[in-house]
């Protein structure tokens, strides 16, 4: 947020760009599967307390995804998008769109680049989230993006551990 001369802040979505790096105690192929298999994605996507009642993932260039996150209060937050790059098991590039407005447009679009670096039986996972466009109406959600991804990664680590780290 940038201060202007009137003391009001000017909304700048790019200020919410985020990079998160984690080391997951699982082989790269298992972490890749957790990102590209819809049943596995549904196990970890979203912050603590959120569930995924509907998840479709077509992990190929031009393939779409649709993920509904359900909050503890029952509110469903649809997220949809498209894969731009799929380099198995090294890199995913995708754009997600969320917070549909009354006219069917999206108030938030984020380009994500996820890299998977093998290190023995561990994987260094890096997520770069670049906000392409956003309206001031989603500023609060943007403020929670880093925390939401961090909690999702905690769930991802637990789900990969529980699955026995099998792809």
């Amino acid at each position: 947020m940038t201060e202007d001369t009137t003391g009001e802040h000017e909304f700048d979505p790019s200020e919410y760009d985020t990079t998160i790096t984690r080391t997951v105690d699982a082989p790269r192929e298992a972490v890749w599967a957790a990102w590209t298999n819809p049943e596995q994605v549904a196990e970890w996507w979203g912050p603590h307390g959120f569930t995924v009642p509907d998840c479709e993932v077509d992990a190929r260039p031009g393939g779409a995804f649709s993920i509904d996150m359900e909050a503890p209060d029952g509110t469903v937050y649809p997220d949809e998008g498209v894969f731009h790059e799929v380099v198995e098991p090294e890199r995913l590039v995708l754009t997600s769109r969320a917070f549909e407005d009354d006219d069917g447009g999206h108030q938030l679009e984020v380009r994500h680049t996820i890299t998977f670096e093998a290190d023995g039986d561990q994987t260094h996972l890096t997520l770069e989230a670049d906000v392409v466009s956003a309206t001031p109406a989603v500023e609060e959600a943007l403020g929670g993006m880093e925390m939401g991804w961090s909690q999702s990664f905690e769930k991802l680590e637990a789900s990969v551990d529980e699955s026995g780290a099998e792809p």
Side-chain angles (χ1 to χ4, degrees), residues 35-48:
W35 273 85
T36 57
N37 178 304
E39 291 81 20
Q40 291 185 46
V41 172
E43 292 178 15
W44 63 266
W45 192 273
H48 295 302

Side-chain angles (χ1 to χ4, degrees), residues 31-32 35 45 83 85 87 89-94 111-116 125-128 149 153:
V31 179
W32 175 268
W35 273 85
W45 192 273
F83 289 92
E85 292 180 41
V87 182
E90 301 171 7
R91 176 182 165 97
L92 291 170
V93 179
L94 55 104
R111 184 176 178 95
H112 298 88
T113 301
I114 305 99
T115 56
F116 305 79
L125 180 65
T126 302
L127 171 116
E128 296 175 51
W149 272 117
F153 281 8

Side-chain angles (χ1 to χ4, degrees), residues 14-95:
S14 69
E15 290 183 12
Y16 295 96
D17 290 353
T18 300
T19 299
I20 299 173
T21 302
R22 282 283 171 95
T23 298
V24 180
D25 194 19
R28 178 166 67 170
E29 291 74 15
V31 179
W32 175 268
W35 273 85
T36 57
N37 178 304
E39 291 81 20
Q40 291 185 46
V41 172
E43 292 178 15
W44 63 266
W45 192 273
H48 295 302
F50 282 68
T51 59
V52 176
D54 184 46
C55 181
E56 298 175 25
V57 176
D58 182 8
R60 61 180 175 83
F65 68 89
S66 174
I67 302 170
D68 288 344
M69 283 191 314
E70 186 172 342
D73 68 3
T75 304
V76 175
Y77 296 95
D79 188 14
E80 63 182 46
V82 65
F83 289 92
H84 303 288
E85 292 180 41
V86 178
V87 182
E88 184 176 350
E90 301 171 7
R91 176 182 165 97
L92 291 170
V93 179
L94 55 104
T95 299

Side-chain angles (χ1 to χ4, degrees), residues 26 36 42 59 67 75 89 94 102 107 110 142 152 154:
T36 57
I67 302 170
T75 304
L94 55 104
D102 294 338
Q107 298 182 70
V110 181
L142 280 171
S152 291
E154 290 170 13

